[in-house]
Every structure is written in C-alpha cells, then in structure tokens.
C-alpha cells in the first residue's frame, strides 16, 4: 500500500510538471515571435569588393541591415529561414535569403540580393527608397519579426551577374575589323587553317585571348564560300585542335575549319565572327566579301587542303546557313516537316 501511495505521489508530480511545461509552451506561442528592430547601415546598399561570393566581378551588391533587440545586439543564426520583403518604386517582392556575412560589432547583417536565383533575386534601382521587413522562421514557427522600415535608399547601380559587364568586357557590342594575314589559307603542322587578324577600338586582346582559352567567352563563325555560294555556320568554335597554334589573342586567329567538316578549296571566302559571354554578344565583325583567298603558296596549292579522316567537331557545324528568302523558306520547311512527323507518330501511337 505504501508503494502504491509513493507511486501515486510521483505520478502527480510528473503530471504537474507536464502541465506546467504545456502551459509555458502555450504562453510562449501566445506571445508570438520576438520583435526585432532593423535600420539601414552604412548607406543601406553597397557594391562590396570584399564579398566572398563576388566571383569574377569586382564586387557583389549587398543590402546592409542593422538588427537589434531591445536596443542591444542579437545574433540570429544564419541557418534559420530568413524572409525579406522589399518594397519601393514599382517593385514589391518577398525573397528567402540568409545573410551572406554578419558583423555583430556593428549590428550588421549583409544580404546579397542580386546573387539570388529566380524568384529569390532582387535587383534594386539606383535612387529608389525601399521599405524592408524581416521575418525569421525556426522550422514552421515565426521566431523573429521586424516592423516595415523605410530608408533603404539605393545610392548606386547594382552589380548583377550576367547583366553587369565584367571588368574587361565592353558595356555594349563592339565592332571588329577582320582582315587576312600571312598565307590567309595555309597548311601548317598537318592542319589547314584560315588565318585572320582582328582590330577594334580600345580592344584588350590579351583579356579576350584569356577568356576564349578559359571558356568564359564563346565564339561562333560564319564562313561563306563565294565561289559556290555555300555558307557554313559553326555555333561554337573550340580552340583545342592544336593547342598553342590556333589562338594568338593579341595578334590573330588560326581557324582549323577542316576539322569542322569544311574543306577549304582555292576559293574566296567571307568570314563573320561573333564573341559572346553567355548569351550576351560582346564583339562582332564581318570581313570584306571574298577577302580570304590562298596566296598561291606551295604550302597550300601543291599539297592541297588537308582534310582529316576523322572530323572531331563535325556535329558542331550547321551545314549551309541560308539567308534572305532562302532562310524563310527553310524555316517553313522545317516547321512543316516537324508537323508531319508529329502526325505520323500520333497515328502510330493510336495504332
């Protein structure tokens, strides 16, 4: 009986503790999230040169938010779910983004909004005053919340990956002058090349060479045989046929067109060259009509063009590129063929 009474008392104590904890939890829930105070810091927005995430850019645009609680410092973990609502000008957007860095000595939290992807990217506009609200969630529970706070005026043009020119890139598309050089078309090192010089206003040719070799730039070529009227298009030319012999970015280019399935005859050729970073056209140039023709050297005429047995890049050549009305007719033909194939496959699926 004594044992039963002891167990009864113990059970009562346990139940009391559980009820107290439950009540405290309910009180905490009723109190809601902790209130935090935010304010713009050090100009509110900054292109910060010391960002660890700037990549090839000289800086990364950051939203600088000072966060305090009851007038004192607070260290909110970056691995919680942060939600920023930014309103100003014609923009209102809520993004999920943790602080990239924190400097608690200054109550400073840095958010790299321009580096966000898709719906989590926010690009400010110079001169616009933004109102910011910060919410921080611990799981599904709202743990911290600020009041909407104005005064986050953007004082500068932001750095936006894929939009803002990199140091060394032109801000607008630059025109190139393409001219023949040396043998123009020659056999060199067992490969037939077309050689071209290129020039433009204030070109940093060493930088262009570096970016082409590293793959940061891509180049497309359009080659027209003026004797036959055939035009060949190479969507992306790769400088990998004979490393060290193809690209002299501060001087000229050697194009191993035979390795793309184009047999260079003793004809006259017109060259068009386009250089891109991603989808952005940085440089473009077209030579004079028929400017590239062999200089009748023994190196080319006696031996003839060297056509490799195995064409390593044949899949990267888009045969003949029609122009004008021919281009329109070709597009229509492709569309009709696609519809016809779709009908055939639909019928087979039905059968």
């Amino acid at each position: 009986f004594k044992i039963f009474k002891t167990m009864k008392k113990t059970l009562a104590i346990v139940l009391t503790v559980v009820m107290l904890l439950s009540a405290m939890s309910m009180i905490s829930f009723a109190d809601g999230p902790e209130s935090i105070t935010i304010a713009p810091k050090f100009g509110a927005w900054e292109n910060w040169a010391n960002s660890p995430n700037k990549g090839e850019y000289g800086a990364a645009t950051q939203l600088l938010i000072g966060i305090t609680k009851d007038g004192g410092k607070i260290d909110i973990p970056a691995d919680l779910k942060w939600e920023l609502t930014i309103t100003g000008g014609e923009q209102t957007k809520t993004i999920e983004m943790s602080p990239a860095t924190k400097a608690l000595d200054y109550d400073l939290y840095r958010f790299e909004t321009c580096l966000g992807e898709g719906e989590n990217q926010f690009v400010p506009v110079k001169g616009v005053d933004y109102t910011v609200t910060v919410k921080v969630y611990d799981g599904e529970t709202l743990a911290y919340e600020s009041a909407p706070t104005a005064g986050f005026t953007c004082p500068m043009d932001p750095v936006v990956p894929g939009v803002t020119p990199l140091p060394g890139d032109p801000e607008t598309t630059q025109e190139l002058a393409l001219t023949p050089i040396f043998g123009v078309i020659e056999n060199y090192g067992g490969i037939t090349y077309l050689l071209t010089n290129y020039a433009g206003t204030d070109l940093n040719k060493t930088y262009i060479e570096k970016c082409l070799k590293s793959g940061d730039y891509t180049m497309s070529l359009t080659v027209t045989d003026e004797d036959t009227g055939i035009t060949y298009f190479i969507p992306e030319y790769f400088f990998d046929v004979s490393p060290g012999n193809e690209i002299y970015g501060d001087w000229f280019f050697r194009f191993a067109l035979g390795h793309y399935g184009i047999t260079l005859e003793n004809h006259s050729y017109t060259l068009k060259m386009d250089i891109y970073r991603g989808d952005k056209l940085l440089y473009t140039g077209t030579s004079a009509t028929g400017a590239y023709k062999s200089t009748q050297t023994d190196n080319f005429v006696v031996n003839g063009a060297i056509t490799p047995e195995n064409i390593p890049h044949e899949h990267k050549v888009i045969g003949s590129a029609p122009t004008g009305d021919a281009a329109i007719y070709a597009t229509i033909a492709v569309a009709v063929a696609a519809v016809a194939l779709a009908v055939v496959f639909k019928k087979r699926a039905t059968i």
Side-chain angles (χ1 to χ4, degrees):
F1 181 74
K2 287 182 178 180
I3 295 174
F4 176 75
K5 288 180 68 177
T6 303
M7 291 179 61
K8 187 176 179 181
K9 288 181 179 179
T10 303
L11 181 60
I13 294 171
V14 170
L15 288 173
T16 302
V17 171
V18 170
M19 291 175 67
L20 285 171
L21 290 174
S22 178
M24 291 173 64
S25 175
M26 292 177 65
I27 291 171
S28 176
F29 180 82
D31 288 343
E34 296 188 51
S35 178
I36 55 176
T37 301
I38 66 171
K41 297 285 287 188
F42 307 118
W45 298 87
E46 176 186 32
N47 291 336
W48 195 39
N50 294 323
S51 167
N53 304 312
K54 65 181 181 181
E56 296 179 85
Y57 290 82
T61 298
Q62 298 187 331
L63 171 60
L64 309 180
I65 303 179
I67 302 179
T68 57
K69 176 175 168 53
D70 300 328
K73 300 182 185 303
I74 182 171
D75 185 3
I76 304 176
D79 58 0
L80 297 181
K81 178 184 172 182
W82 292 69
E83 189 178 88
L84 309 180
T85 299
I86 308 173
T87 302
E90 298 180 355
Q91 300 182 90
T92 295
K93 195 169 188 180
T94 298
I95 63 175
E96 291 184 15
M97 178 169 292
S98 296
T101 59
K102 296 187 287 185
L104 296 179
D105 288 344
Y106 304 98
D107 306 321
L108 175 62
Y109 292 71
R110 296 176 178 269
F111 298 87
E112 297 179 334
T113 65
C114 287
L115 296 183
E117 296 182 356
E119 291 303 313
N120 284 324
Q121 184 187 59
F122 183 87
V123 179
V125 177
K126 181 179 179 180
V128 174
D129 178 57
Y130 292 98
T131 296
V132 177
T133 305
V134 175
K135 294 182 179 180
V136 184
Y137 292 84
D138 187 354
E140 298 299 321
T141 303
L142 180 58
Y144 303 94
E145 183 178 23
S146 78
T149 304
F152 290 86
T153 303
C154 182
M156 78 294 168
D157 290 319
V159 175
V160 185
V163 177
T164 302
L166 285 168
D169 288 3
E171 294 188 9
T172 58
T173 302
Q174 299 295 300
E175 292 289 332
L176 298 177
L178 305 182
T179 53
I181 191 172
F182 299 142
V184 187
I185 298 173
E186 66 176 11
N187 294 338
Y188 177 80
I191 299 173
T192 299
Y193 290 100
L194 181 148
L195 282 69
T196 186
N197 195 354
Y198 70 111
T201 304
D202 298 326
L203 290 184
N204 185 341
K205 290 190 172 184
T206 301
Y207 181 76
I208 293 174
E209 176 185 13
K210 177 183 77 71
C211 289
L212 284 169
K213 286 183 174 179
S214 66
D216 293 327
Y217 282 0
T218 56
M219 176 187 286
S220 68
L221 298 177
T222 303
V223 183
T224 301
D225 185 333
E226 299 297 341
D227 290 47
T228 64
I230 296 176
T231 296
Y232 301 94
F233 177 59
I234 302 174
E236 186 172 357
Y237 186 91
F238 290 85
F239 291 95
D240 60 358
V241 176
S242 57
N245 291 331
E246 283 194 277
I247 178 170
Y248 298 83
D250 59 345
W251 196 1
F252 66 96
F253 294 113
R254 297 179 187 271
F255 295 126
L257 300 182
H259 282 65
Y260 287 77
I262 303 173
T263 300
L264 292 169
E265 305 290 350
N266 192 21
H267 295 172
S268 298
Y269 296 90
T270 302
L271 177 67
K272 182 177 186 294
M273 183 171 74
D274 296 308
I275 299 176
Y276 296 83
R277 182 186 288 278
D279 295 329
K280 185 176 182 180
L281 179 61
L282 302 180
Y283 302 96
T284 184
T286 303
S287 72
T289 302
Y292 298 85
K293 185 178 178 67
S294 171
T295 55
Q296 305 295 311
T297 61
D298 290 343
N299 198 25
F300 178 75
V301 174
V302 173
N303 297 324
I306 300 172
T307 303
E309 294 181 3
N310 298 313
I311 302 175
H313 297 300
E314 59 181 338
H315 61 287
K316 299 186 181 72
V317 177
I318 299 179
S320 179
T323 58
D325 292 339
I328 297 173
Y329 297 143
T331 303
I332 294 173
V334 170
V336 171
V339 171
L341 284 172
V343 171
V344 171
F345 281 118
K346 185 175 181 180
K347 285 184 177 179
R348 287 185 177 179
T350 304
I351 295 171

